[in-house]
Amino acid sequence: MGSLSTILRHPDEIYPLLKLKLAIIKAQNQIPLDDPHLALCYSLLQKVSRSFSLVIQQLGTELRDAVCVFYLILRALDTVEDDTSIPMEIKVPILLAFHRHIYDRDWHFICGTEEYKVLMDQFHHVSAAFLELEKGYQEAIEDITKRMGAGMAKFISREVETVDEYDEYCHYAAGLVGLGLSKLLLASGLEVLTPDWKQISNSTGLFLQKTNIIKDYLEDINEIPKPRMFWPREIWGKYVDKLEDLKNEENSTKAVQCLNEMVTNALIHVEDCLKSMAGLRDPAIFKSCSIPQIVAMGTLALCYNNVQVFGGVVKLRRGLIAKVIDRTKTMDDVYGAFYDFSCMLKTKVDKNDPNAIKTLKRLEAIEKVCRENGDLHKRKSYVNNETQSKALLVG
């Protein structure tokens, strides 16, 4: 549940943490033991992403199975892309053919580490579960897997130079996930798509991906045997000669300015994310889609102007995430959370930062949407003062 000292410093999180613990146990008990392939899929899902496993447990059985399999297929594809020990002449053909491998009950490939290695070794069970899904789900998953594999192959041996290329890479890595989830929701019959669904679905994926790219700087730059980085040179090249120079202490001022520009770039997508969530009708789908977006906004608020991104782990406390899960029931809750984290981020903006004006304009636009569309007066605030703001970090 979190360290005892952390829990005692934040007693208001004890109840949400207990509810979260019970929800995890419930999720484990919902594993369909009568279907060995699906049972293994849910077991693998809990290993590779306990938080996502918990989020999708909100969904009805049929859609939940499809999303579980979809997530594992894309996680496996991502594992192949991320494994820098795989020779290029082997990796690229696998990425390009991955959408065909999902139809092969016998295919698996040894790569990755720890739980991801287990996923790849047991991938034939994921394929078997995929083949048990309704055809509409299969077609949506195959389409997204094919497009994502081609996009990953395109960027596998090239650096991201421009912001446009950064957006393109994030589209392949996560924007397509947003599009795919929208297709699964449509196939379920539980949701309808708006005319601009492709743009806003892509934006939700880009928002999550850019948040991960920002917070994972140190982990990615220290990747063995070689780093895999997607910060665009168009941004970092203004501050340092080499991307790895950002982690050097003598460059801390420039590093934080670069970080702030990266966060400001990610904020472009927030209004589309809010629009996407506001359009959802099914309460379970709404909750499962909203929680990751709120956590991403909170993570950006923590990362902004925070030199620790270049020297350690920056993430929300587990207790705070438990509060997000417990409180997120309506769109008013989403507007309130985004408003809170936007206000928190605003307090950290240094007027001397080269992108301060642009950052403040984006935050003001977000807050305006939240004020005009949400009932903020009744919300329970996540951030009441500067002390609480600083305490949102893990530990």
Side-chain angles (χ1 to χ4, degrees), residues 151-169:
M152 288 177 168
K154 179 178 179 179
F155 277 91
I156 203 69
S157 58
R158 62 188 264 199
E159 292 186 7
V160 177
E161 297 287 339
T162 68
V163 171
D164 284 345
E165 287 178 352
Y166 179 47
D167 284 349
E168 184 183 6
Y169 170 75

Side-chain angles (χ1 to χ4, degrees), residues 268-326:
I268 295 171
H269 307 290
V270 170
E271 290 173 73
D272 274 347
C273 293
L274 291 170
K275 187 175 182 181
S276 172
M277 291 179 279
L280 295 171
R281 304 183 303 178
D282 182 88
I285 292 172
F286 168 78
K287 190 175 179 75
S288 66
C289 291
S290 299
I291 291 168
Q293 299 290 330
I294 294 173
V295 171
M297 185 64 190
T299 302
L300 288 180
L302 286 177
C303 288
Y304 185 84
N305 215 40
N306 189 348
V307 72
Q308 191 177 342
V309 170
F310 304 102
V313 177
V314 175
K315 61 180 180 179
L316 297 181
R317 282 196 327 278
R318 187 168 177 80
L320 182 67
I321 294 174
K323 282 170 73 173
V324 170
I325 293 171
D326 186 45

Side-chain angles (χ1 to χ4, degrees), residues 338-395:
F338 270 80
Y339 186 84
D340 270 2
F341 289 129
S342 179
C343 291
M344 171 186 164
L345 202 161
K346 186 189 285 186
T347 66
K348 299 169 71 177
V349 177
D350 182 344
K351 65 179 182 180
N352 295 315
D353 185 272
N355 289 280
I357 294 174
K358 185 184 294 185
T359 306
L360 290 170
K361 282 184 178 179
R362 295 212 172 131
L363 293 172
E364 286 161 6
I366 294 167
E367 290 169 16
K368 183 172 184 287
V369 171
C370 294
R371 281 195 305 269
E372 291 180 351
N373 295 280
D375 185 356
L376 304 183
H377 301 293
K378 297 179 181 179
R379 79 187 192 282
K380 294 179 180 178
S381 181
Y382 291 101
V383 185
N384 293 322
N385 54 54
E386 188 175 350
T387 301
Q388 280 192 329
S389 171
K390 291 178 180 177
L392 293 182
L393 278 167
V394 65

Side-chain angles (χ1 to χ4, degrees), residues 3-13 317 391 393-395:
S3 70
L4 180 60
S5 61
T6 301
I7 293 172
L8 292 176
R9 287 199 303 272
H10 307 279
D12 61 320
E13 294 173 2
R317 282 196 327 278
L393 278 167
V394 65

